[in-house]
Amino acid sequence: MSRIGNAIIVGGGIGGPVVAMALRRAGIEATVYEAYDGSADGVGGALSIAPNGRTALAAIDAEAAVAAIGHPMRAMVMQSWTGKRLAEFGSPPSLPEQLLVWRSDLYRALYDEATRRGIRIEHGKRLVSLTESTAGDGRVVAHFSDGTSAAGDVLIGADGIRSTVRRLIDPAAPEPRYAGLLGFGARTSGAGLVSTGDKMHMVFGKRAFFGYQVGADESGWFANLPHPTPMSAAEARRIDAAEWLRRLAEVFRDDRTPAVEMIRRTAPEELVITGGLEDIPSVPTWHRGRVVLVGDAAHATSPSSGQGASLAIESAVQLARCLRDLPVPEAFTAYERLRRDRAERIIKMAARTNSDKAAGPIARVLRDLLMPVAMRLLANPEKWAWQFDYPIDWAAPVAAPARVAA
């Protein structure tokens, strides 16, 4: 039985609604407080929900809501800019297939499922400070910019890579690290293009990285463009979308792929500009007192991992299990023990991928020479099994952390 009654969740993106649903399943009431006045409908590009993310959602009976908005992605085909096929690999056949989703659709699916379950989500609540009660009642209080506050037995920071909660519990926490790439993407018509079926094609282009999947009616693409200096999404959006489309078409003009055609089919208003790709290699402090981090606030990986959303979902479910079974200090320690090594391994792997995507002229030559060998190794399913095969037994009790002798 849970030792806490209610939780404050700061952040209403992907991790926030999932941790609220998981906590409710564990018998803990939770309210989500979101900084923005409105919802995130129509915001964000494409991402994947890996088999492990689907498994974690299934543990709290929320997988069907996401499966309904996803497109099957049964394999990834790696190509060079010359059109040479380097490798093809997918998740193990015993696991759920990957899904291609649009962030806005995923946000809406999780938001609607959470509210359907009776979870309250309050907007316009930007966190500015937090305090822990001195009355000995084990409460934490969140103070918002509108002058209101909320109290709970625990506070969970699900507020993303630029987490306010992370900074409040550790003012020395590291800042996001720029990966050397800008992100773009769009949905386009698939009419007249060669279908890729249920396979996502990933191309190490001559000057930039391009991913695409072509369906009968709808297609999607994304591009990672090397850029020497960081640029936030807001800064990138100050440049006209039509100009970015022109630049992208120019960058991919030598590549033997559908990149230029798909970019030319994209209207400026359809272009998603996500700005610089970022990660945080390691966050030293995941929890303090009755406050804990989840998702990108704790373990921000760049989009190149294909695991950002899935890792957040996993952590949300595991945190709820820990809070269900253990007192707060032990629950947070057990949660970090379950999650840190796995998350940081994936962050490190994605950073290596970013280096290949952002390679300079000389490094690109070496990359293209070595890539076929590297891809043959990656095509081995055993190389990927550790990422995708992450079962969560919801009913199993979480063991208390071992005590270190003084």
Side-chain angles (χ1 to χ4, degrees):
M1 175 179 260
S2 173
R3 292 163 170 79
I4 66 172
N6 72 309
I8 299 166
I9 299 171
V10 176
I14 293 172
V18 175
V19 75
M21 289 188 282
L23 287 171
R24 170 158 284 207
R25 187 170 176 82
I28 302 167
E29 291 300 313
T31 301
V32 178
Y33 295 90
E34 167 57 46
Y36 292 101
D37 290 329
S39 65
D41 291 343
V43 176
L47 55 86
S48 66
I49 302 296
N52 45 294
R54 297 185 68 179
T55 299
L57 286 168
I60 58 169
D61 295 328
E63 195 275 334
V66 173
I69 53 93
H71 303 277
M73 194 168 70
R74 294 187 176 90
M76 288 182 287
V77 178
M78 311 303 292
Q79 297 174 234
S80 71
W81 69 272
T82 63
K84 182 179 180 180
R85 191 185 188 96
L86 301 173
E88 178 178 330
F89 49 88
S91 54
S94 60
L95 299 176
E97 63 199 14
Q98 292 196 74
L99 294 175
L100 175 67
V101 301
W102 289 87
R103 181 174 289 275
S104 58
D105 295 342
L106 177 62
Y107 166 84
R108 176 48 62 184
L110 293 174
Y111 188 103
D112 289 348
E113 181 63 17
T115 55
R116 186 187 69 79
R117 297 184 186 197
I119 292 165
R120 193 167 87 251
I121 302 177
E122 294 196 18
H123 291 272
K125 299 295 181 180
R126 186 173 298 278
L127 183 72
V128 293
S129 66
L130 56 88
T131 56
E132 292 201 41
S133 173
T134 58
D137 55 3
R139 303 281 279 173
V140 60
V141 182
H143 304 276
F144 303 109
S145 60
D146 64 358
T148 63
S149 62
D153 295 318
V154 294
L155 185 146
I156 299 167
D159 50 344
I161 192 169
R162 284 181 166 73
S163 169
T164 298
V165 178
R166 181 176 65 235
R167 177 175 50 79
L168 290 173
I169 66 172
D170 180 12
E175 293 295 318
R177 176 180 68 174
Y178 177 52
L181 299 159
L182 302 180
F184 305 88
R187 300 191 219 202
T188 63
S189 166
L193 295 174
V194 177
S195 173
T196 63
D198 51 17
K199 297 178 181 180
M200 169 67 74
H201 287 240
M202 306 280 202
V203 184
F204 287 92
K206 190 173 183 179
R207 292 190 282 171
F209 187 87
F210 191 77
Y212 67 99
Q213 188 165 347
V214 178
D217 300 316
E218 182 181 87
S219 302
W221 63 267
F222 71 91
N224 296 152
L225 178 67
H227 195 269
T229 56
M231 183 177 283
S232 70
E235 290 170 334
R237 289 169 190 154
R238 292 189 192 115
I239 297 174
D240 189 72
E243 173 59 17
W244 279 123
L245 289 170
R246 186 197 66 76
R247 293 185 193 182
L248 289 169
E250 173 66 17
V251 163
F252 290 110
R253 74 174 190 271
D254 295 330
D255 293 359
R256 298 167 194 168
T257 71
V260 172
E261 176 60 28
M262 296 184 80
I263 290 166
R264 286 175 175 165
R265 289 178 178 222
T266 303
E269 63 271 16
E270 296 170 334
L271 182 66
V272 176
I273 304 171
T274 56
L277 275 61
E278 297 175 317
D279 69 4
I280 302 178
S282 181
V283 172
T285 303
W286 280 29
H287 53 89
R288 190 198 73 193
R290 305 185 75 84
V291 182
V292 66
L293 305 175
V294 74
D296 278 356
H299 47 71
T301 181
S302 79
S304 295
S305 71
Q307 284 280 359
S310 295
L311 282 180
I313 292 165
E314 287 179 0
S315 288
V317 175
Q318 293 287 45
L319 175 59
R321 289 181 64 234
C322 293
L323 286 169
R324 176 194 66 191
D325 296 340
L326 300 169
V328 170
E330 293 183 2
F332 289 171
T333 300
Y335 158 69
E336 184 174 352
R337 179 198 66 202
L338 286 170
R339 300 299 300 152
R340 179 182 284 278
D341 288 350
R342 171 175 169 78
E344 291 185 357
R345 185 180 177 188
I346 289 174
I347 293 168
K348 188 175 182 180
M349 177 203 68
R352 290 194 296 267
T353 301
N354 287 334
S355 294
D356 287 335
K357 290 180 177 181
I362 295 174
R364 280 200 300 269
V365 173
L366 294 173
R367 180 199 69 193
D368 292 347
L369 287 172
L370 297 174
M371 191 66 71
V373 175
M375 287 297 107
R376 281 197 293 271
L377 292 174
L378 287 176
N380 182 348
E382 293 180 1
K383 294 288 184 180
W384 293 87
W386 69 272
Q387 281 192 65
F388 296 148
D389 191 5
Y390 184 78
I392 296 178
D393 185 351
W394 177 264
V398 178
R403 296 187 181 276
V404 179

